[in-house]
Amino acid sequence: MTLRPPIPTGTPGNQATEVTTAASSPVPTLSPPPNAPALPPGAVGRASFAYVGCRSGCPGLAVVGDRQFIIPGEERNPGSSAMLLSLSPDGRWLGYPAGDGYVVRDLTGTRTMTFPPSEPGRRMAAWVWTADSKRLLVGDFREGDDNTYTLVDVLTGSRTPAVIQAARTPLALTNEGEVVSRARDQQPEPVRVLTLTVSAIGDATGRSVTIDASAILAQNESLFPGSVLVPPDGGGYLLGVGYADGISTGVLRVAADGRVVERIVDVPHDNREFWNVLGVNGDGLLLSRQTNTGRQATTVVAVTGKALRDLVALPRESIVAVPGASAR
């Protein structure tokens, strides 16, 4: 069938295109098994994603093929630690809390990296991955604005302190290891012009990239600064757009210089389905669709060209850590 969402106002050639959902076999429904085994040491294979089946008190699960494994550490801090799961875009590296520290392990081998907090009262977490899965930005944080960050080369294990101004929030990493950030301000909504800073790890200034989406957004739409992603090919950015209530309506492709290239996908929006941008894997963009009619569920949806393809349905309250993003 063909979904025809409202087309935002904009200049000719930059308007939204229709999204086609191809007919497919029934989407598998995945629920936490009653007796999943613990994630064993050593190689188990690349994970398609990690998730938690409820908002609090449920263990994290890594999905590897048709198997599910309980991720260590959830019993020590259920709920809040469930929000900190992370998976590299290629599904090889899984990150999860270990007390106030953090662990990143190779699911295809035996390598494990640990990240203790710098001092009591602080916590560690994975922030963002590069699209090629070679680098990870790890944050050392507590409540407040004194976060510090480290760039990790997961293949060599090397760690480099990242120079990021306290007034800036890191959003993404380029394949070259540059940090994409934005000012931690309270910009009034809707956000139609967004200025990013792209800087090398040791550079406190960097270069500015201004994204002006005024001509392509509908009157009531806004850019979502928190949904900046680097696509699998590493070229430019993907940027979610939507309404002020946080519901996504589409995704823009943006060139490295900030020029809006196209609106690559629109999603339908009514009071029965709510969409959000989840992240990217090695093939492309992943969305989520929350359905409130009949059997409630959260469905992971892949974007291929202009087509949407349902991958798997999870319990509605699931917290999903798709490749390339954390479940924060």
Side-chain angles (χ1 to χ4, degrees):
M1 64 178 179
T2 300
L3 306 175
R4 298 180 182 271
I7 297 178
T9 57
T11 57
N14 281 334
Q15 294 174 335
T17 56
E18 64 183 28
V19 177
T20 301
T21 301
S24 60
S25 56
V27 178
T29 299
L30 195 62
S31 297
N35 295 300
L39 183 66
V44 295
R46 297 175 189 264
S48 54
F49 58 92
Y51 78 103
V52 181
C54 67
R55 288 285 163 179
S56 179
C58 295
L61 293 157
V63 181
V64 181
D66 59 357
R67 300 172 295 169
Q68 297 189 60
F69 299 101
I70 294 178
I71 299 171
E74 297 300 323
E75 72 280 356
R76 285 190 289 273
N77 194 3
S80 61
S81 59
M83 301 291 287
L84 299 175
L85 300 179
S86 187
L87 193 63
S88 62
D90 61 4
R92 176 178 175 180
W93 302 91
L94 174 68
Y96 53 88
D100 290 336
Y102 206 76
V103 171
V104 177
R105 61 162 288 186
D106 182 0
L107 295 177
T108 66
T110 59
R111 287 195 56 198
T112 298
M113 293 174 284
T114 59
F115 300 90
S118 59
E119 60 184 49
R122 299 180 69 87
R123 298 192 67 187
M124 304 295 294
W127 232 252
V128 287
W129 289 89
T130 55
D132 60 12
S133 301
K134 293 180 179 179
R135 297 179 178 90
L136 168 66
L137 191 68
V138 174
D140 182 325
F141 69 99
R142 62 181 165 195
E143 296 300 326
D145 296 334
D146 61 344
N147 296 2
T148 60
Y149 304 93
T150 301
L151 183 69
V152 181
D153 185 317
V154 294
L155 298 179
T156 66
S158 65
R159 308 180 185 192
T160 306
V163 180
I164 301 175
Q165 297 178 6
R168 305 200 64 81
T169 298
L171 303 174
L173 281 175
T174 69
N175 281 346
E176 294 70 33
E178 294 179 306
V179 178
V180 182
S181 64
R182 72 179 292 252
R184 194 178 293 175
D185 56 11
Q186 297 297 320
Q187 188 171 350
E189 294 181 339
V191 179
R192 304 176 74 81
V193 179
L194 175 65
T195 299
L196 304 175
T197 297
V198 183
S199 58
I201 289 302
D203 184 0
T205 55
R207 64 184 185 276
S208 293
V209 175
T210 298
I211 302 169
D212 187 346
S214 302
I216 202 170
L217 296 180
Q219 185 174 3
N220 57 346
E221 281 187 311
S222 172
L223 297 174
F224 284 171
S227 67
V228 175
L229 299 168
V230 174
D233 61 12
Y237 312 101
L238 300 176
L239 179 56
V241 300
Y243 301 130
D245 58 6
I247 301 301
S248 295
T249 56
V251 179
L252 307 180
R253 180 181 293 276
V254 179
D257 61 3
R259 175 175 49 89
V260 177
V261 177
E262 62 175 333
R263 185 165 179 140
I264 62 171
V265 67
D266 277 305
V267 293
H269 179 222
D270 57 33
N271 60 0
R272 295 166 297 176
E273 292 185 341
F274 301 92
W275 295 75
N276 282 294
V277 177
L278 284 181
V280 295
N281 62 7
D283 297 322
L285 179 66
L286 296 174
L287 309 174
S288 71
R289 182 182 70 246
Q290 291 186 343
T291 305
N292 293 324
T293 58
R295 181 180 57 81
Q296 295 182 339
T298 295
T299 304
V300 179
V301 181
V303 179
T304 305
K306 302 299 180 185
L308 302 178
R309 179 169 58 93
D310 290 355
L311 298 180
V312 65
L314 300 165
R316 185 178 183 274
E317 292 301 316
S318 294
I319 301 169
V320 185
V322 299
S326 297
R328 292 181 289 106

